[in-house]
Amino acid sequence: MKARSIVVYTVLRLLAFLVPFGILMIFPLFREYYWLAAIFAALIGLSLSMLFLRRPLDDVSAGLAARRREEKAAASDEEVEDEAGGR
């Protein structure tokens, strides 16, 4: 798994939240109700990530799946060796 793909996805998700939050905080109503700005920014960020961040999410998911397969294969190899050595 590439650490770069995880970092890219994380930074893009943070930007998808922080940019709308910053824009909403410009308005006087949202300065008073900052929690409302956070909720709207979260909804906007979620929508943006679903629309535009599909590819980075697929890269991260594929890397995690490959890593899990490697760990499972290594664990099964060790079990086979333990059973063969124990007989």
Side-chain angles (χ1 to χ4, degrees):
M1 175 175 55
K2 295 181 181 179
R4 181 180 182 270
S5 61
I6 294 173
V7 170
V8 167
Y9 181 70
T10 303
V11 168
L12 290 174
R13 282 295 304 258
L14 284 172
L15 285 175
F17 172 77
L18 292 175
V19 170
F21 183 72
I23 292 171
L24 288 172
M25 290 304 290
I26 292 172
F27 299 107
L29 175 69
F30 290 115
R31 281 189 212 146
E32 187 175 335
Y33 298 108
Y34 62 89
W35 55 270
L36 190 60
I39 291 171
F40 283 141
L43 292 173
I44 292 168
L46 177 66
S47 301
L48 289 173
S49 66
M50 287 176 62
L51 291 173
F52 299 113
L53 299 181
R54 176 68 61 195
R55 187 176 202 157
L57 177 61
D58 289 343
D59 292 343
V60 171
S61 298
L64 289 173
R67 188 176 190 184
R68 176 166 273 185
R69 278 192 303 268
E70 289 173 4
E71 288 176 358
K72 193 172 186 180
S76 65
D77 288 345
E78 290 174 4
E79 290 172 0
V80 169
E81 290 173 359
D82 289 343
E83 288 177 9
R87 290 184 183 183

